[in-house]
Amino acid sequence: MGRGRSKRKANQNTTTAVTVTDLPNHIICDILSRLPLNSIFTCKRVCKIWRDLTLDPYFAKLHLSRSPLSIITYCNGTNTNNNSPSSSHFEIFLLDDPPVISRPLSTMKFTAEIDFPYFGIQKVASCNGLILLSNYSSEGDLVITVCNPLRGQHIVLPKPPKSPSHLYNLELGHNPATDQYKVLRLSHTYHPTRLYIDIYTIGIDDEWRSIRDMGQPPAFIFPNFVFLNGALHCIGHENVRFIYSFDIEKEQFGSFPLPSHFGDSFEFLGVVDNRLCIYSEYSLHGWEIWSMNKYGDFGSWTLEWVIDGPNACGFDGCFKPLKMLKDGSLLIMFSNSRSEIKGKKTTLASYNPQTQVLKKIKYRGTLPWRTSVACVPCFFSPMDALK
């Protein structure tokens, strides 16, 4: 009987080894989605199951909800000294939060099977990790491409109809109600003043849909658009200045006024932590950034940041506020036109409102202003919308 009790006790103490691969797939997705981007790509090489999980739309949505802001730049293929073309590629700059001033940012490079050999890139926009690129072909046709660097995939959109004006903007927006992505071309004419919209819904439309006359728009529209709350926003100017918005789902325009004290110097919109911001690069007091703390509420504009004397510190050119960091600093991307003859070079900095110190953030790699955008990298495939 003693031996029997010992045997039963031994069986009770025996446990079966369990590894992470034995966990349910949704738990593994949850774990992987919390990892830094470079760690996710390391895990993709562990086994086929993990690789397939990172390609699942469920993982893409989970990761997008947690992924931190990064900066993505497109580098077109160039000719080397022996006239053999180098490959085009994307570089993703992984932002530290808070930044480690003494250490350069980590970067990841992704080959892009996209080459725009003519005239350089005309437009770069982003939405939920998807990147929109546009250029002209050798025949003069507008070529519009939507891609995801993380997936190494891209789609070329059908040729849009002829624009009634050479003044137009290309933008990319997302309809959260239907999970659809739309590319918009907004053409603006004068004498008479008219706004024309061409829309292409990825995976739905076979060709562009044209809304050829949107009626009387503002006399002037500032060219930078930002996407927030399912709508694209820009600044319009008639007798007064206001924010002009285009609802991606309803495909309708709306507007709300700007406080009169902003004046004509506030020309740029941005988004910081899901709040609409307006800012000026020409204020006598330095860089001023106001935030709309309650979306659509005229009275909720608050002066959040005043950066004194940026030019005296060697910060010149255009700038974009990106996000609030964990230490309370504001992350800024700006151009330094004096540092690069052929084009503006992008510089990153953090501004601490408590100490009023503006510090540059080190990085290695190429970060040209015109082809660099701040976005949240994701694993959503543009091909999924075509199914």
Side-chain angles (χ1 to χ4, degrees), residues 14-34:
T14 301
T15 58
T16 303
V18 178
T19 66
V20 68
T21 56
D22 297 316
L23 296 174
N25 286 345
H26 72 279
I27 298 296
I28 298 177
C29 281
D30 186 89
I31 295 172
L32 293 177
S33 68
R34 300 174 185 272

Side-chain angles (χ1 to χ4, degrees), residues 56 84 150 185 200 223 227 239 255 259 286 302 320 329 333 336 352 367:
D56 190 274
S84 61
L150 270 61
R185 185 179 65 179
Y200 183 84
F227 181 75
N239 297 323
S255 64
T302 304
K320 299 175 185 175
S329 300
M333 180 169 69
N336 191 339
N352 189 317
L367 197 56

Side-chain angles (χ1 to χ4, degrees), residues 200 215 224 250 282 286 361:
Y200 183 84
N224 72 306
K250 299 178 181 178
Y282 310 107
I361 298 174

